[in-house]
Amino acid sequence: MSRLESFIRRMTAQRDILDQVCAEVAKIEGPVLELGLGNGRTYHHLRERLPGRRIVAFDRALAAHSSSIPEAENLVLGEIRETAGRFIGIDAALVHADIGTGYQDRDAVTATWLPELAARLLRVGGIAVSGTPLDHPLLQRLVPPPSVPADRYFICRRV
């Protein structure tokens, strides 16, 4: 599969999963955390799907399109593992993590700390969505929409 096809599949999976969970997240108290702002497309999508909800975005450096930059108090720059760690206990309703690199060795390192971080950021009943598997005892894996191929994108609930 070409990298373009892979990117399209990832973006489609991301959109379909976020659209599915946003209706439920709208009923759960707490902020939304976007780990990996990037260009800001997903942040912009979440802003449209969850109007009025506080969305805190994290990234190493600001590279988002000007229409997709959060207010200063909701933008946290630096190494995500460290900066998001300062938000443990925030009781997030949703944690979305799109921080995979496509390099197996780098993503394997992320998989060693991201599940624990996501679990500790979420409130009980909150939802985590990630392009990286979130294997953790406090995260129960949920079934993605039928349009999402197995192991393409992951959804979990904090138990």
Side-chain angles (χ1 to χ4, degrees):
M1 171 185 316
S2 73
R3 291 187 63 232
L4 176 61
E5 285 295 333
S6 179
F7 175 76
I8 291 167
R9 283 181 51 185
R10 183 170 60 89
M11 292 296 100
T12 301
Q14 189 180 91
R15 181 205 58 212
D16 292 355
I17 286 174
L18 289 174
D19 284 351
Q20 175 182 296
V21 302
C22 278
E24 188 172 346
V25 168
K27 301 172 195 171
I28 302 171
E29 288 189 33
V32 169
L33 305 183
E34 173 74 336
L35 306 183
L37 178 62
N39 184 277
R41 286 181 289 262
T42 305
Y43 168 80
H44 193 267
H45 192 73
L46 288 169
R47 218 173 43 194
E48 286 191 355
R49 296 297 185 270
L50 298 165
R53 179 63 69 97
R54 181 180 184 205
I55 303 173
V56 182
F58 299 79
D59 215 325
R60 284 188 182 129
L62 183 59
H65 186 273
S66 62
S67 67
S68 301
I69 298 174
E71 310 81 17
E73 65 272 16
N74 291 320
L75 176 63
V76 183
L77 299 178
E79 289 299 319
I80 292 170
R81 181 179 185 179
E82 297 165 15
T83 58
R86 292 186 224 136
F87 285 73
I88 289 172
I90 196 168
D91 287 338
L94 172 66
V95 170
H96 174 250
D98 184 13
I99 56 176
T101 65
Y103 293 98
Q104 287 184 341
D105 57 334
R106 293 182 195 169
D107 292 345
V109 171
T110 301
T112 65
W113 57 263
L114 181 60
E116 175 75 17
L117 178 63
R120 296 182 70 199
L121 290 169
L122 284 169
R123 71 180 316 109
V124 172
I127 297 175
V129 176
S130 175
T132 303
L134 297 172
D135 298 321
H136 191 277
L138 294 176
L139 298 174
Q140 176 186 34
R141 198 160 172 185
L142 303 176
V143 178
S147 62
V148 177
D151 295 331
R152 185 46 162 150
Y153 226 78
F154 305 88
I155 315 170
C156 299
R157 180 182 312 283
R158 167 74 157 78
V159 294

